[in-house]
Amino acid sequence: MTVNLTKGQAISLQKNDGGTLTAVRMGLGWQAAPRRGLFGSRTREIDLDASAVLFADKQPVDVVFFQHLVSKDGSVRHTGDNLVGGVGQGGDDEAILVDLERVPVHIDQIVFTVNSFTGQSFQEVQNAFCRLVDESNGQELARYTLAGGGAYTAQIMAKVHRAGAGWTMTALGTPANGRTFQDLMPSILPHL
């Protein structure tokens, strides 16, 4: 059963049977919003990029994004860049796989961001979401839907962080500006 998260809401990543999750997929989906013009409405391609920044004691130690598809330890993997979105028609346009059992013990948080590499604002995006899926059985665990648009070019979507022996996901939904994950670091730090 999917939990629809609201901004700031956290959920434990424990399985219904009490077991712990071993691998999750953070999926990102979006579509370009139609724009009205003189000759009707049309859409313009929008290149959103999903990134995962791995932190140890509030310090960034690794990142996975379209130019660096696998973390140094191999526990986090990006499935590849999608330059236009909307391909999945509600499915994931980009995904980042996290093998929770392989994440080194010193990594305590993984923050997922989305940025418009081409610089369009989220006013030009519709149906944007990120979701967390149990990779072992394909069950969607949580979904955070980006409501409304905005004059910003990025979003700090969610984080997965250690909670005792398990993991917790928190929906952040914080607007930001930047074309790359590096531009977003000042906006990420307050959420650690």
Side-chain angles (χ1 to χ4, degrees):
M1 181 166 112
T2 298
V3 175
N4 287 313
L5 295 176
T6 57
K7 186 174 179 175
Q9 183 179 2
I11 62 163
S12 172
L13 299 183
Q14 298 291 318
K15 288 188 171 190
N16 292 339
D17 63 6
T20 46
L21 291 171
T22 57
V24 294
R25 174 174 21 107
M26 178 64 70
L28 166 67
W30 75 94
Q31 293 175 322
R35 297 173 57 187
R36 293 215 180 271
L38 186 59
F39 302 106
S41 60
R42 65 184 204 282
T43 58
R44 186 170 133 197
E45 292 179 351
I46 295 180
D47 180 11
L48 295 186
D49 290 320
S51 301
V53 185
L54 289 70
F55 288 89
D57 197 28
K58 299 186 180 184
Q59 297 297 314
V61 295
D62 202 355
V63 65
V64 173
F65 69 113
F66 71 93
Q67 290 183 328
H68 185 251
L69 296 176
V70 181
S71 62
K72 292 177 225 166
D73 57 58
S75 66
V76 182
R77 186 171 49 90
H78 195 297
T79 60
D81 196 12
N82 179 319
L83 302 176
V84 296
V87 174
Q89 300 299 315
D92 299 339
D93 293 310
E94 289 193 13
I96 297 175
L97 306 170
V98 182
D99 184 340
L100 296 169
E101 292 183 322
R102 289 185 56 202
V103 174
V105 69
H106 70 285
I107 303 294
D108 53 10
Q109 299 184 69
I110 302 171
V111 178
F112 297 94
T113 66
V114 178
N115 55 276
S116 172
F117 186 74
T118 46
Q120 291 109 325
S121 75
F122 276 75
Q123 291 168 324
E124 299 180 58
V125 176
Q126 68 181 10
N127 302 324
F129 66 87
C130 77
R131 67 188 191 128
L132 196 68
V133 175
D134 180 344
E135 196 61 12
S136 68
N137 62 15
Q139 179 185 0
E140 183 174 288
L141 303 169
R143 177 179 286 257
Y144 176 66
T145 302
L146 176 65
Y152 47 88
T153 59
Q155 180 94 213
I156 314 304
M157 292 295 276
K159 72 176 179 177
V160 175
H161 48 102
R162 290 189 190 272
W167 292 84
T168 297
M169 177 188 176
T170 301
L172 299 172
T174 303
N177 281 298
R179 293 180 54 235
T180 66
F181 74 89
Q182 295 99 324
D183 298 339
L184 304 180
M185 291 307 287
S187 298
I188 293 172
L189 296 177
H191 298 287
L192 302 178

